[in-house]
Amino acid sequence: MLLAILKATFFLPWCLTLPVPPAADLKGWDFVKDYFQRFFMTKKESSPLTQGEQIRFLQQFFRLNVTGLLDKQTLAVLRQPRCGVPDAAYYSVSPERLKWDEDTLTYRIINYPYGLKTSTVKDIMRAAVSIWSSVTPLVFEQVDDRDADIKISFWALGINLFLVATHELGHALGLYHSGNPNSIMYPTYEYKDPRTFHLSLEDIRRIQHLYGRKEA
């Protein structure tokens, strides 16, 4: 089942990778309730938590001051554009997904975003996959004329491509979101200079938990 999901096209920056703007028309508790339901619950269940418990849960997840009150800092974090992958996995004991069975993975760029040269996009994608291959035995191969394990397509560009691609590749490799603001798997998008970017120690630990360390 996992392989079927991973082999499906993921879109940059939208789809599972979708930077989702929170519901702007909702205020206060209605906004929090909608956010919690969209990203921390499945469609088939409703939250058993009270209003204060949900706010405390979100504050704990985003490593904020846990008060149970909807303060300005909490609301500001929740209103940031974020990845559309739900955080329901945060409930699980082991938040990592199943892994790929092979170490060599192919990827194919289905189409290219308007306004960027094809060569630029290819360079950015190579840089993104190298972030993960530099700390694991994984090898990524771009293919153009055949089926691929990971298929990449673009709907629109408004977010830094390198950071979004690195984040979404983390999902494709089996990682869920992290509540650590320093992690590339943090659900909200925060700009980091691609020229000096590196994985956090948590990112390295989690991906190596799935695939092991890169041999010297």
Side-chain angles (χ1 to χ4, degrees), residues 30-134:
D30 287 335
F31 171 80
V32 174
K33 183 168 60 175
D34 177 76
Y35 190 100
F36 195 89
Q37 185 67 40
R38 291 170 70 188
F39 298 117
F40 288 90
M41 307 297 296
T42 68
K43 294 181 179 180
K44 296 181 180 179
E45 63 182 349
S46 58
S47 174
L49 303 182
T50 66
Q51 173 179 336
E53 289 172 336
Q54 289 186 36
I55 294 174
R56 283 193 291 271
F57 181 93
L58 292 169
Q59 290 170 332
Q60 182 180 17
F61 177 80
F62 286 105
R63 304 191 183 184
L64 303 172
N65 187 27
V66 180
T67 63
L69 302 175
L70 189 57
D71 52 41
K72 291 182 178 180
Q73 182 187 25
T74 301
L75 197 58
V77 170
L78 298 183
R79 288 197 178 280
Q80 292 177 353
R82 55 156 291 157
C83 173
V85 175
D87 293 305
Y90 188 66
Y91 284 119
S92 68
V93 175
S94 178
E96 282 81 12
R97 298 182 182 184
L98 298 177
K99 61 186 288 290
W100 289 93
D101 293 329
E102 60 270 13
D103 287 340
T104 299
L105 301 175
T106 56
Y107 69 95
R108 181 180 177 184
I109 302 174
I110 304 301
N111 69 343
Y112 291 82
Y114 177 79
L116 285 180
K117 294 181 180 179
T118 297
S119 59
T120 299
V121 176
K122 288 183 176 181
D123 287 343
I124 292 173
M125 292 307 305
R126 278 194 291 268
V129 298
S130 70
I131 288 294
W132 299 107
S133 63
S134 67

Side-chain angles (χ1 to χ4, degrees), residues 3 6-7 98-102 105 149-150 172-173 211:
L3 289 183
L6 292 178
K7 282 181 179 290
L98 298 177
K99 61 186 288 290
W100 289 93
D101 293 329
E102 60 270 13
L105 301 175
D149 298 309
I150 300 172
L173 295 176
Y211 297 100

